[in-house]
Amino acid sequence: MTDLLAARSQMAMSLGFHIIFSCIGMVMPFLMAFANYKWLKTGQEDYHRLMKAWARGVAIFFAVGAVSGTVLSFELGLLWPGFMEHAGPIIGMPFSLEGAAFFLEAVALGLFLYGEKVLKPWVHFTSGVFVGISGVASGILVVAANGWMNSPSGFDWVNGQASNVDPIAAMLNEAWFTQALHMTLAAFVATGFGVAGVHAWQYLKDRSKLLHLRALKIALAFGAVAAFLQPFSGHLSADDVAHRQPVKLAAMESHFETEKGASFVIGGIPDEEKGEVNYAIKIPYLLSILAFTDPMAEVKGLDAFPRDEWPPVAIVHFAFQTMIAIGVLLMLIGVIFLFGQWKKLLLVQRTWFLKILAFATPLGFLAVEAGWVVTEVGRQPWIIYGIMKTADAVTPMPGIAYSFYVTTGIYLLLAILVFWLMGRQITVFNQEKEVAHV
């Protein structure tokens, strides 16, 4: 394994773990606060139990997310000194603000966890909402920094050096809004369906635990609404990528030849040598419509770019297809749920629907991982698009593979610890006495 591959693998593995904790940390506080709101409004003790259970989950994921986020901060400097040398003065602002948001999130979480008996009820509730707002703000700021890597702005690049730096323009780059919107909705979809799936599974095991039914309704409502909105966000992202990073769009769709009225490819296996996609379903004109809102618009293919600037086509294509397939499936489940609630069909008590929810538990997180593969691998070979190649930013220190192996082991232990803690929390939750019924 080369040092470059080891550094990229370590960064990918760290991001892969951290993004799960980040998604849950952004959304779970809103579920916690909503249960608190229902308790304050109805006075039903079951909602108080649910609030306390979800608050313990928020605390666990907050602690683990803080650890994995700190590791990532070190890795940026240790693995990519070439990147930090030039990018630090330009894109440091969102990272600094993210630190402030994280601090506020920690304070608000402390108030919520330990202030219930000393704060007024609505002040306590507001602190829970503020945990969620701070978490979302933190995520948006980090995504803004990543957006700058895809759409570098706010500086002049002359002879390999940055000058005339404008950190505000860098933070508010052209990619930040579409990426932040897509990522935030994805976090709500993944966490909403993930939490609903866990409670559906528990309710399938024991139908007397009716609080699980209430919990899955709340979580699934958040996830379903976000899943319904996500295609609109996806269209904005496709339009944005088509204009700023057309080679990434070409790799996502395995679109090898520049053409007008381009087809949208579903599935298939790309053959980079022959420049074709085998076994795919093609919908005429749809790619031109999605990218440029014009059925006859020209969509640049991979043939419009030097071969050494192509991202790994197969990886990006399969990741994009995975993200789309899961997104469509979760949106359909969400629409069925919302329709059932509107018509009072009691779908959430049907065994077949509960089994679908349980099956869907990890799918949202898989879609988030696939989406980040599209974003990061699709930008290769650049670490700052069009400015600096990834190979030029990696540390000259040898032996990065050993760091990769050690970090992987630590993350695996961390994952086992989180699963054990969450399993313990679910066991405690199930053993508590239920006082009300749905």
Side-chain angles (χ1 to χ4, degrees), residues 13 29 138 213 282 304 395 406 419:
M13 190 266 305
S138 183
L213 202 53
K282 296 186 177 181
T395 177
V406 171
F419 272 105

Side-chain angles (χ1 to χ4, degrees), residues 341-374:
Q341 290 297 101
W342 176 45
K343 291 292 185 182
K344 302 186 185 305
L345 299 178
L346 300 179
L347 288 177
V348 290
Q349 298 192 39
R350 306 287 177 84
T351 298
W352 64 269
F353 191 72
L354 291 168
K355 287 182 176 179
I356 289 176
L357 290 180
F359 168 77
T361 302
L363 294 185
F365 296 109
L366 290 176
V368 168
E369 299 283 7
W372 272 99
V373 169
V374 171

Side-chain angles (χ1 to χ4, degrees), residues 10-11 14-15 18 67-77 411:
Q10 182 173 332
M11 203 71 194
S14 298
L15 275 169
H18 183 67
V67 173
S68 59
T70 303
V71 171
L72 273 171
S73 300
F74 281 109
E75 286 177 344
L76 275 175
Y411 272 115

Side-chain angles (χ1 to χ4, degrees), residues 2 73-74 109 138 155 174 185 191 221-222 363 390 393 396 411:
T2 65
S73 300
F74 281 109
L109 181 59
S138 183
F155 66 99
E174 292 184 358
L185 287 173
T191 306
F222 277 83
L363 294 185
T390 308
Y411 272 115

